[in-house]
Amino acid sequence: MSGVPGDDVFTVLDVGGTTLRIGTYDPAAGALSDVRRMPVDGKHRDPGAPVPALQQRVVEQIVREVAAHTGGRPPRALGVAFAGPITAAGLVMAAPTVWGRRGDPLPLGELLSERTGAPAVVVNDLTAAAWRYAATEPGDFCLLTISSGIGNKVFRGGEVLVDPDGHGGELGHWVCDRSPDAPLCDCGGRGHLGAIASGRGVLAAARRAAHSHQAAFRGSRLAALCEGRAEHIGNRAIAQAVRAGDPFTTEVLRGTLAPLAQAITGVFASIGVCRHILMGGFALAVGEPYRRLLVAEIRRLGCFGLGPEQIDAMVSLGAADDDHGLLGVGRLLAARTPVPSSQGAP
């Protein structure tokens, strides 16, 4: 950290399934600084720990990192982008990627306000990320993240479309495979979109394909990257192989994109959102080939009233960084936090 934040900036955090990010957001400049990253004290560090213990550890970690970031002073305001459904009051209803299956709801906003002495705003990480893109998008849009899981949020009319209890924007938990042996989701359900089309889902599909189509796998770019061993396949190698045009890996990815394309066409058909922005580590690692394959699946399904060029324009790639939640929750705080009287009116 280069220095203790002043009174005119916000402290912002992004708490995901594996990584916690903390930084300073300057609302006047719309800029981040002093960003640090560390592992989350959640289930990925201690998968056998009970949910209440992990919840307590995550709260303690946030409080500890905020104090370290601000030199022990209460921040002007605290913004937290969190991986899970959140109510308007900052109650975390579930966090499968952070502490596992449901457990009791956690009043994170209230706890952080009490522990840090600062007003705290806690929102879903995709809700926060949508606020980042709201600053540059001219109209309504749907933001989709494809990483270890899948989530989405629709931004329309100056707000993210979620109800006060945090419902909405959970396409990753849409059941798109009802077979009894469908992939298992982090939440405990089977056949959810996030278990099939996420980076984790693609990885599982690639390993299955390597075992069931051994000859094709042995001749693939993916095999060369993984020493010919299915158990050595990773998402980085999958992304590299698809970018190189490897037919085997491209077909594996194409198969996982069919249900994601169905979800997008459903959003379009139901509420008419024509802009879909892709973010998340896996989608952005594959890059433009991912976008093209997804667009091809959407074209195959069709969007009522749209031609091929309009469908192509529906899908774009987001910024290739991991600052979405930090920037977004900072902009959300700027929109909701009164300007101190010493600064004058906005």
Side-chain angles (χ1 to χ4, degrees), residues 91-291:
L91 186 70
V92 180
M93 301 304 296
T97 62
V98 182
W99 51 65
R101 298 183 184 179
R102 185 170 289 273
D104 292 330
L106 182 72
L108 187 58
E110 179 182 330
L111 289 171
L112 293 180
S113 292
E114 291 175 354
R115 297 288 302 276
T116 66
V121 172
V122 180
V123 296
N124 171 264
D125 54 353
L126 262 292
T127 295
W131 276 90
R132 173 187 187 173
Y133 290 97
T136 55
E137 285 294 315
D140 304 336
F141 63 91
C142 177
L143 183 65
L144 290 141
T145 183
I146 297 94
S147 53
S148 56
I150 287 180
N152 80 296
K153 286 293 182 288
V154 172
F155 195 93
R156 167 167 277 181
E159 287 291 342
V160 176
L161 299 186
V162 291
D163 80 352
D165 290 329
H167 300 302
E170 295 292 346
L171 275 178
H173 297 289
W174 167 53
V175 179
C176 56
D177 182 350
R178 296 187 176 275
S179 61
D181 58 347
L184 189 65
C185 182
D186 281 334
C187 72
R190 284 194 178 275
H192 292 190
L193 178 65
I196 295 167
S198 66
R200 180 171 55 86
V202 176
L203 174 59
R207 288 177 175 172
R208 289 195 302 269
H211 285 298
S212 58
H213 303 284
Q214 295 182 19
F217 172 61
R218 284 195 299 269
S220 70
R221 171 67 173 162
L222 183 61
L225 292 168
C226 302
E227 301 175 342
R229 300 178 65 178
E231 63 271 21
H232 287 181
I233 296 174
N235 285 122
R236 182 175 298 180
I238 291 171
Q240 187 175 342
V242 174
R243 291 198 308 268
D246 177 52
F248 173 85
T249 317
T250 298
E251 285 307 306
V252 170
L253 178 58
R254 193 193 311 276
T256 69
L257 288 177
L260 179 58
Q262 285 182 306
I264 290 174
T265 59
V267 171
F268 168 76
S270 59
I271 58 175
V273 173
C274 295
R275 285 280 293 149
H276 293 76
I277 303 169
L278 305 178
M279 55 171 272
F282 180 71
L284 294 179
V286 180
E288 178 59 18
Y290 187 98
R291 191 198 74 84

